[in-house]
Every structure is written in C-alpha cells, then in structure tokens.
Amino acid sequence: MGGPRGAGWVAAGLLLGAGACYCIYRLTRGRRRGDRELGIRSSKSAGGTPGFPAEDLTDGSYDDVLNAEQLQKLLYLLESTEDPVIIERALITLGNNAAFSVNQAIIRELGGIPIVANKINHSNQSIKEKALNALNNLSVNVENQIKIKIYISQVCEDVFSGPLNSAVQLAGLTLLTNMTVTNDHQHMLHSYITDLFQVLLTGNGNTKVQVLKLLLNLSENPAMTEGLLRAQVDSSFLSLYDSHVAKEILLRVLTLFQNIKNCLKIEGHLAVQPTFTEGSLFFLLHGEECAQKIRALVDHHDAEVKEKVVTIIPKI
C-alpha cells in the first residue's frame, strides 16, 4: 500500500482501531471512577452476564447521547468482537441511545440495523434479548421499519419456539407490536395468528398483555379481520371475559371484540362471508357463551370496564 493514499488508509485504520480499543476499555473496566454502577435506560431487564453489572458507554448520566463518531466506533466493536460480555454491553448502549430519535436515524445511516439484528441469532439468550430491545427502540422510526421488517419471520419463530414467558419472548413480542402500529407490515404475521392466541392462553399476565397489544393492532385493520376470525382458538379463550380477570387484560379482550365487530361492519368488507371452521375465533365470538359473558360484565365493579361493555352490547 504505497504513497500518500496508502498512508491515509493506514492512519484511518489506526484511528478507528484506537477508538474501538477505547470502547473495549470502557466496556471491560467494570465500574467507572467513583465506583459508580450504571443502570439501563428504557430497559425492563437489568440482567446482564453474572459477575458483570450491565453498563453502557456513557459518562454516567442516563441522558448522555453518543455522537455519530462514537456510534460508528461502537458498531465496529459490536461487529468485530466475539466476547459475549462486550457484545451485551455494546447492545445495551446502542439500545439506550436508540431511544433518541436523532440516533435512530444515525444508526440506520451507519448501517447499524443489520449489525444489531445479526445478534438475534446469538446462542446467548441475554444477548438475544438485548438485540431485540435495541431493535425495539430503533423500530419507532418508520424508515427503520423498512429495514427491520426482513427479520419479522425470524422474530416470530423465536417467539413461538422459545421458552414461554422468557425475556426473549417478551422482547420479541414487543418488537412485533411496534412493527404493527401501522398497517404496512401486518400482513407478514398472517401465518402466525393462531400461534399468537396459543401464547395468549398459556402465558403469564405480562405475556398476555403484550400479545393483546399486538392483536389489538391487527384487529384495527380490516384487511386482517378474516385472518383473525379464521384462527383456531381454544375455547378457554372465553375465560378471559370472566369478571375476575385483571382489568388490563379484560379491557383489551373487550376492545378486541369491539374492533373486529367494527371491521366487519365496514362497507364492502367480507361482503361475501367466507366459511369459518368450528373452533375458529369466529365461532367463539359469535357464540351465545361469549354474548352471555359480556352481558354479565355490565355489573362489573370497575367503571371503565362497565363503560366499555355498554358500548359493546349493541353489537352482540
């Protein structure tokens, strides 16, 4: 590599390498000056690798934002290292910084989305979770969704084949919820609707709420109505309309019923009613047992639930 041009490339390489080495130093140092342990910004899991507190690369303030040069070095580090501790901390830092709209665009422009998404293939479940959390923040940006959508099928497979109620499953469901806020990518979940209802019925309270958030997004789109009604759903689904069910779940299943009924009434939609098989959501929602359960909720102790029921009863 001769001449001035070659020397320039060497200098650039040394500069990037020095920046990456500094990132490694910051990540592996453990605690910073003053023995201050940092938390995770906008993260529900503070897990991390045993023996290594989860940290980011900022200077101690939760509001610190990395600039484009720092983000580029961090992405280089994430792409080049195989150390699981460094990978996890780098993902936490990227996820925290992706909570800021300016960095959502910068990370995309630096080619960071596929670098982060590549880590959802990692065998380490904590790294998978942190990668999904980072994608969650990045997915708030509509332009980022165009790049993230190619990973939807893989995220679905992980959500439905992985451990029930796990941090990875919840992070995956959250990402799918973000990706379905608009109608643009909802069709990519058509073949997973029955699986969603299965997780809804078997998951714990947090999992149930997150699945319902996703189903509510789908239920507002008339183009998804037939797919929802065709889904094979166990009859235990109707137990979610019982009065003792937690309010945050009950209100959402009532809204799901309401949204689907509203979509069915949209002019021209399902004008020729398709044939729905026994055991489908259509049969459950249009059965007498469902109607009786909803009517019984008119005497519910919570005013918000009662108000919701009053708006639904005329649709039964």
Side-chain angles (χ1 to χ4, degrees):
M1 187 183 299
R5 183 178 181 183
W9 281 111
V10 171
L14 289 173
L15 180 61
L16 185 56
C21 287
Y22 178 66
C23 285
I24 292 173
Y25 165 74
R26 293 286 295 278
L27 284 166
T28 57
R29 189 178 175 193
R31 290 175 185 252
R32 297 195 196 117
R33 183 173 51 193
D35 199 37
R36 182 175 182 178
E37 181 175 331
L38 300 181
I40 301 174
R41 188 181 192 282
S42 303
S43 174
K44 294 184 179 181
S45 171
T49 306
F52 295 91
E55 299 181 358
D56 66 17
L57 295 177
T58 60
D59 292 326
S61 168
Y62 292 144
D63 294 323
D64 284 344
V65 185
L66 300 184
N67 60 35
E69 182 182 1
Q70 292 169 323
L71 288 169
Q72 185 176 34
K73 292 173 182 177
L74 188 60
L75 288 167
Y76 172 81
L77 173 63
L78 181 59
E79 191 173 28
S80 59
T81 185
E82 294 183 3
D83 187 321
V85 176
I86 295 176
I87 291 172
E88 184 172 351
R89 291 177 179 172
L91 286 169
I92 290 170
T93 301
L94 281 168
N96 290 346
N97 275 264
F100 299 93
S101 58
V102 63
N103 278 344
Q104 292 163 7
I106 291 173
I107 292 171
R108 179 187 70 248
E109 291 164 0
L110 290 173
I113 290 176
I115 295 174
V116 173
N118 183 55
K119 300 307 177 185
I120 66 178
N121 297 314
H122 206 283
S123 58
N124 183 310
Q125 294 298 295
S126 186
I127 288 176
K128 268 176 106 73
E129 178 206 354
K130 301 306 186 298
L132 288 165
N133 287 340
L135 290 175
N136 282 334
N137 283 346
L138 288 167
S139 69
V140 175
N141 182 295
V142 175
E143 290 184 63
N144 287 354
Q145 289 194 3
I146 297 172
K147 292 186 176 295
I148 295 173
K149 70 178 182 180
I150 65 175
Y151 306 103
I152 286 181
S153 294
Q154 182 180 348
V155 173
C156 286
E157 294 298 331
D158 288 342
V159 163
F160 302 125
S161 64
L164 184 66
N165 303 321
S166 66
V168 169
Q169 184 178 67
L170 194 60
L173 286 168
T174 304
L175 176 57
L176 295 175
T177 303
N178 289 349
M179 292 295 292
T180 55
V181 169
T182 67
N183 297 349
D184 295 343
H185 312 301
Q186 291 184 0
H187 64 280
M188 300 181 73
L189 273 70
H190 258 299
S191 59
Y192 299 102
I193 293 176
T194 293
D195 296 308
L196 281 171
F197 279 102
Q198 178 63 24
V199 174
L200 171 65
L201 297 181
T202 56
N204 61 21
N206 289 335
T207 300
K208 279 179 165 59
V209 169
Q210 195 59 56
V211 173
L212 283 168
K213 289 180 179 179
L214 174 50
L215 288 172
L216 286 179
N217 285 348
L218 302 181
S219 70
E220 292 176 352
N221 180 5
M224 297 296 294
T225 303
E226 184 176 342
L228 287 167
L229 292 174
R230 283 191 182 280
Q232 292 295 298
V233 182
D234 190 84
S235 59
S236 61
F237 170 78
L238 294 179
S239 67
L240 297 178
Y241 290 98
D242 290 342
S243 60
H244 62 79
V245 171
K247 175 182 174 180
E248 59 182 354
I249 295 174
L250 186 54
L251 281 173
R252 287 184 170 90
V253 292
L254 286 169
T255 304
L256 180 67
F257 179 95
Q258 185 178 37
N259 287 350
I260 291 176
K261 289 288 188 178
N262 288 341
C263 285
L264 285 173
K265 288 186 176 182
I266 291 178
E267 185 177 358
H269 185 68
L270 294 184
V272 179
Q273 184 169 305
T275 302
F276 296 104
T277 60
E278 190 172 353
S280 65
L281 182 64
F282 177 88
F283 271 80
L284 291 178
L285 295 184
H286 288 78
E288 183 57 31
E289 182 180 357
C290 182
Q292 290 177 355
K293 284 179 175 289
I294 291 177
R295 290 191 190 101
L297 291 173
V298 75
D299 297 320
H300 197 274
H301 61 85
D302 184 90
E304 195 173 354
V305 172
K306 290 173 69 172
E307 182 179 352
K308 173 67 71 174
V309 171
V310 169
T311 64
I312 290 175
I313 285 181
K315 304 178 191 298
I316 298 177

